[in-house]
Amino acid sequence: MAGKAQTGSVSRGRTSRIGLALVTSILLLSLIPSFAMAAVKVYDSSASMTYLGEVTKAKCKLRRIGKHRTFFAVGKTTNGAYKLDLGTLEFRGFGQTYNVPYGVQTPSVDLDGISSSAAYSNAFAFPGGQPPGGAGAFAFARRGAQLRLGIYALPNQDYSQGVSLAGGLKCGYPRR
């Protein structure tokens, strides 16, 4: 019996070290800009987490409307199935993180099907009661050339389905 207990604790210790090494590796890889900025990957929010596509770049615009600065980005998945629209009417500058709550118009994250009627958005009104904390956030690198996005559950209009988006993309700005 003592042998079995000892083998179990050795096995658990080895598993803990392997798990720690795995988590550390993932964190280190996410800090490498070329790896972290590969693409915004899109998955459905079901138990199977079906891969729907990825967005590697977007056309981005900064504008001033009265006293307010705005930001908008539009990109397509590489398979041409979805269009990603992202924006805020309350742009505070690059190097900032913008939380994306449910049921608001700004900031907004929309994913629309190009050849289908699929539509996902944080702007859809939350059905009854208080909405959960938020859908996620987006953030910019210091000069705005890279945009990072982490949306955990972007719902369809009746909140019966959703998608998750995570990763980073390159922002292309119009020349002046």
Side-chain angles (χ1 to χ4, degrees):
M1 277 213 137
K4 287 185 180 182
Q6 187 177 10
T7 304
S9 67
V10 169
S11 177
R12 272 183 265 141
R14 185 176 306 147
T15 303
S16 299
R17 285 191 304 271
I18 292 170
L20 179 61
L22 180 61
V23 168
T24 303
S25 300
I26 291 170
L27 286 173
L28 287 174
L29 286 174
S30 68
L31 296 175
I32 300 170
S34 62
F35 180 80
M37 299 310 299
V40 171
K41 298 193 186 283
V42 182
Y43 294 90
D44 75 358
S45 293
S46 68
S48 63
M49 293 294 292
T50 305
Y51 174 78
L52 301 176
E54 61 187 56
V55 182
T56 59
K57 60 186 176 179
K59 292 181 180 178
C60 300
K61 289 184 182 179
L62 285 172
R63 294 216 170 160
R64 185 172 295 280
I65 300 175
K67 294 181 181 181
H68 298 282
R69 293 173 61 196
T70 65
F71 172 84
F72 296 99
V74 177
K76 290 184 182 178
T77 56
T78 54
N79 62 7
Y82 295 92
K83 180 176 90 169
L84 174 67
D85 284 314
L86 180 142
T88 182
L89 298 175
E90 299 166 356
F91 183 71
R92 298 181 312 272
F94 298 121
Q96 302 288 317
T97 298
Y98 297 84
N99 292 323
V100 180
Y102 292 108
V104 299
Q105 296 298 315
T106 189
S108 65
V109 177
D110 302 322
L111 185 74
D112 297 311
I114 293 174
S115 59
S116 71
S117 62
Y120 303 94
S121 177
N122 70 299
F124 293 137
F126 188 75
Q130 180 71 20
F138 61 89
F140 298 92
R142 214 167 42 111
R143 295 187 179 166
Q146 298 173 340
L147 172 68
R148 294 176 182 97
L149 180 64
I151 303 295
Y152 309 106
L154 195 62
N156 64 355
Q157 190 158 3
D158 65 1
Y159 281 70
S160 63
Q161 294 179 331
V163 294
S164 297
L165 303 99
L169 56 84
K170 292 181 181 180
C171 265
Y173 294 91
R175 294 182 188 247
R176 293 181 179 209

